[in-house]
Amino acid sequence: MRFPTLRTPAGPVPAAAPAWNPQRGSAMPSHRYRPAHERVPLPSGADRQWPSRRIEQAPLWVPVDLRDGNQALAEPMDPERKQRMFDLFLAMGFKEIEVGYPSASRTDFDFVRRLATTPGAVPEDVTLVVFTAARADLIDRTFESVEGLPRVVVHLYTATAPAWRDVVLGRDRAEVRALVTEAAEHIARHAEHRPGVRFEFSPEVFNLTEPDYVLEVCNTVTALWDASPDRPVIHNLPATVEIATPNVYADQIEYMHRHLDRRGSVILSVHPHNDRGTGVACAELAVLAGAQRVEGCLFGNGERTGNVDLVTLALNLHTQGVDPMIDFSDIDEIRRTVEHCNRLPVPERHPYVGDLVHTAFSGTHQDAIKKGFAHHAKRAADLGVPADRAPWDVPYLPIDPADLGRGYEAVIRVNSQSGKGGIAYLLQSGHGLELPRRLQIEFSRVVQESTDDSGREVGADELYALFRAAYLDAAPPAVWRTGEDGTGRHWAELSVAGGPVHRGGGNGPLDAVTAALAAAGTPVDILRFTEHAVRTGPDADAVAYVEARIGGAGGVGGEVVWGAGRDSSVLAAGVRAVLSAVGRAGAVGRVAASE
């Protein structure tokens, strides 16, 4: 196939490239972009400490879906959707929630007023956050919206990076600092007699701002707002547009963590975006570097490629044995609510919540998962604890789907890439069949033939239909009966497909049946026989599996095939399994025609 708009790299192989790497220079204009170390002075990493730290407790999570995430929607939330999202945050256990930009829209203003004036709308341990730019009239409007709220954070922001100072604001460093100072003073005057008001400052585009300058501005605000342990100031340091690898952001955060004045009275917060696809890594490394608070959105909604995904961050901690302090025990209901409010779908491969993230199609993965489930059940039994309380260590499943309110029925799904383990798991979990290993191998080829041409997925019901057609329905119609002769020997009489009746004897009923088949000219040597109940209870069906050599003599020659039978009677299931093997070997005609 031709792709006429693509230009396959055709330049010379770089002289320093090893022989195993023949990649050539492309026509992409990469020279137009400056790396981060040329765009902003980076703090020295000589005394870097964050790489050796571990995250041992969750930071304070602050969802910004109702403001930052809402600004990024083609169709912003209406009041009903805003309320539904807010109620979800409360149910999940968030204690600080950014609820809007009240000076920017009437909808946001009215929503904040509704929360402020509705009795019981905001629990006593929940603090609301409202957002404002550094302009006196917008700050006035913001304080008008929060009148009556006992606990609120007023979040002031101003862009501080050189490109924003020069291109957007048209002000130099001193002028931007004066702008921030004037706005911070105006906020302080509004809050002078309101102890329930706390303060937050975001030097927008922090990660592209000179470290010495952003530190100077933040320390000025800390002093102006008189930060103290009982009324700490939040300094929120956004990676507004990702520009570098996550370690660079961590270095920047650690620099601020070490040099901020009144550090014990400052809450260090981060707000990563995902332009490079590494927002989660930026947030995790920032927490290692000293951040105590993380702003983001559920499932990562936001401008461009989105804000950092709080669900992924929190559940990453959960899988490391750290309590995320937020409830995700019904992840599908959370997803449904967010999809409704945002009018955006959550992708099928989205971490933890996507429809396919706990699903294995690959045969080797399925086999490992099937064995892992069995090992987990045994381990729980050995420890004497329920399976949902036993240590989790199942291959390819970093989290127990049950922790998120999901079942196991969709973990293993079968297509043309699948193997025997997944097929066996679906038949067992969906229909109670416990196929012997060699039968699993044989039946997997049947499934492969069915799926190879179409490449489609096969569910548990269709797998059972394939198994029934290939094995259970292979038994020819037969009339038979067995009994004992009084000496411990068994006898059987058998007529297959309307043919003559043949009689045989043996040590057990199946021996007698195979003897009757031998009398009809079709020797059957049972090599393996297993049976089990499909479910518990007195009315449960039995399923029997037979591996048998059909034809030949004295264990030599003939054809080795599998057969399977199902019946409410264990004996009848066994006889049906033997007849299934005969049918699958193509020997029915000989039995029916023999005299």
Side-chain angles (χ1 to χ4, degrees):
M1 180 178 290
R2 289 175 54 84
F3 300 93
T5 60
L6 296 180
R7 293 172 289 176
T8 302
V13 176
W20 49 262
N21 185 355
Q23 291 182 150
R24 300 173 181 274
S26 77
M28 297 292 295
S30 303
H31 62 278
R32 301 177 59 214
Y33 303 92
R34 288 184 298 154
H37 67 270
E38 292 182 6
R39 301 180 68 187
V40 61
L42 302 179
S44 171
D47 191 27
R48 182 184 288 122
Q49 296 179 11
W50 61 262
S52 61
R53 296 196 182 113
R54 290 183 296 179
I55 302 177
E56 297 180 337
Q57 64 181 42
L60 177 65
W61 308 112
V62 182
V64 297
D65 301 72
L66 294 171
R67 194 274 302 173
D68 197 337
N70 192 45
Q71 291 175 203
L73 298 175
E75 189 175 351
M77 297 181 211
D78 54 34
E80 180 274 329
R81 283 178 166 82
K82 274 184 167 285
Q83 186 65 54
R84 184 168 174 180
M85 183 78 84
F86 182 75
D87 291 343
L88 173 66
F89 293 150
L90 297 183
M92 294 175 70
F94 288 104
K95 298 304 178 185
E96 196 166 299
I97 303 168
E98 189 172 79
V99 291
Y101 194 161
S103 65
S105 77
R106 184 74 195 184
T107 300
D108 273 21
F109 183 90
D110 289 347
F111 181 67
V112 176
R113 290 305 304 145
R114 183 163 87 178
L115 294 177
T117 57
T118 303
V122 184
E124 293 182 359
D125 60 348
V126 172
T127 299
L128 304 188
V129 183
V130 288
F131 194 70
T132 182
R135 220 173 73 190
D137 59 324
L138 302 183
I139 292 169
D140 294 343
R141 180 71 166 164
T142 300
F143 272 90
E144 182 185 347
S145 74
V146 300
E147 183 65 37
L149 283 172
R151 293 164 309 283
V152 65
V153 172
V154 176
H155 182 178
L156 171 69
Y157 81 97
T158 298
T160 55
W164 275 254
R165 295 196 307 259
D166 299 340
V167 176
V168 181
L169 299 176
R171 304 191 185 200
D172 62 20
R173 285 172 55 141
E175 290 171 327
V176 169
R177 177 180 171 179
L179 174 70
V180 173
T181 301
E182 182 179 343
E185 288 173 341
H186 194 64
I187 286 174
R189 286 192 291 272
H190 268 290
E192 189 172 359
H193 301 296
R194 297 185 60 179
V197 175
R198 292 194 290 114
F199 312 110
E200 176 177 357
F201 173 59
S202 284
E204 191 77 357
V205 209
F206 155 79
N207 56 325
L208 266 173
T209 304
E210 308 92 330
D212 66 316
Y213 177 62
V214 75
L215 180 66
E216 174 189 330
V217 173
C218 285
N219 283 339
T220 297
V221 172
T222 299
L224 195 154
W225 281 338
D226 194 21
S228 61
D230 60 341
R231 199 180 187 183
V233 165
I234 301 165
H235 282 308
N236 183 57
L237 309 177
T240 307
V241 180
E242 270 200 306
I243 60 149
T245 51
N247 61 295
V248 172
Y249 189 52
D251 285 343
Q252 293 172 315
I253 297 300
E254 189 167 64
Y255 173 82
M256 297 294 289
H257 168 59
R258 291 185 184 178
H259 294 91
L260 279 168
D261 290 346
R262 306 195 196 186
R263 184 63 186 89
S265 301
V266 169
I267 299 168
L268 184 54
S269 175
V270 293
H271 183 125
H273 278 248
N274 199 42
D275 298 88
R276 292 169 52 93
T278 57
V280 167
C282 278
E284 291 180 329
L285 268 57
V287 171
L288 292 174
Q292 302 153 289
R293 179 180 182 272
V294 177
E295 297 184 353
C297 288
L298 298 185
F299 310 125
N301 177 45
E303 294 176 349
R304 303 179 309 280
T305 54
N307 292 285
V308 71
D309 180 352
L310 294 186
V311 176
T312 299
L313 282 171
L315 289 176
N316 281 355
L317 287 187
H318 176 67
T319 64
Q320 299 301 304
V322 177
D323 186 348
M325 311 298 283
I326 301 293
D327 184 15
F328 297 97
S329 60
D330 192 349
I331 197 73
D332 289 326
E333 180 60 27
I334 296 169
R335 183 196 63 197
R336 283 190 291 268
T337 300
V338 172
E339 287 180 330
H340 168 77
C341 294
N342 288 342
R343 298 181 176 91
L344 291 172
V346 175
E348 291 181 334
R349 296 290 184 187
H350 197 98
Y352 299 111
V353 68
D355 286 336
L356 294 177
V357 297
H358 305 303
T359 298
F361 288 102
S362 161
T364 54
H365 290 199
Q366 292 175 342
D367 185 60
I369 292 170
K370 178 175 178 287
K371 292 173 180 174
F373 278 147
H375 177 266
H376 180 73
K378 181 180 183 303
R379 189 178 190 184
D382 291 345
L383 293 172
V385 298
D388 63 355
R389 294 301 174 190
W392 183 255
D393 192 18
V394 174
Y396 296 111
L397 291 178
I399 191 171
D400 184 350
D403 287 356
L404 307 178
R406 287 186 165 177
Y408 299 128
E409 63 277 358
V411 170
I412 291 178
R413 293 161 66 175
V414 171
N415 62 14
S416 61
Q417 302 297 310
S418 304
K420 61 186 183 302
I423 293 167
Y425 174 80
L426 285 184
L427 286 176
Q428 180 178 7
S429 61
H431 293 277
L433 302 186
E434 299 174 12
L435 273 59
R437 181 173 177 78
R438 288 200 294 273
L439 180 53
Q440 294 176 25
I441 296 170
E442 181 179 292
F443 180 56
S444 69
R445 291 194 288 268
V446 174
V447 177
Q448 198 82 30
E449 290 173 2
S450 173
T451 58
D452 261 342
D453 291 339
S454 65
R456 61 190 173 84
E457 181 184 346
V458 181
D461 289 344
E462 190 170 354
L463 280 176
Y464 182 75
L466 286 172
F467 183 80
R468 185 182 62 223
Y471 295 92
L472 299 179
D473 293 348
V479 178
W480 58 272
R481 63 193 185 103
T482 65
E484 288 187 68
D485 63 5
T487 66
R489 295 276 294 174
H490 290 254
W491 56 266
E493 291 179 347
L494 174 70
S495 170
V496 176
V501 175
H502 296 278
R503 186 181 177 93
N507 293 327
L510 287 186
D511 276 349
V513 169
T514 59
L517 288 166
T522 302
V524 176
D525 183 13
I526 296 178
L527 307 176
R528 176 181 172 86
F529 174 85
T530 61
E531 58 85 19
H532 65 82
V534 172
R535 60 185 183 276
T536 59
D539 60 344
D541 276 359
V543 178
Y545 311 96
V546 166
E547 186 180 26
R549 178 178 284 106
I550 309 298
V556 178
E559 180 182 1
V560 176
V561 296
W562 279 91
R566 179 170 181 165
D567 198 277
S568 57
S569 159
V570 174
L571 174 57
V575 173
R576 289 179 182 274
V578 172
L579 293 173
S580 167
V582 170
R584 296 190 71 245
V588 173
R590 295 197 303 272
V591 177
S594 62
E595 293 291 343

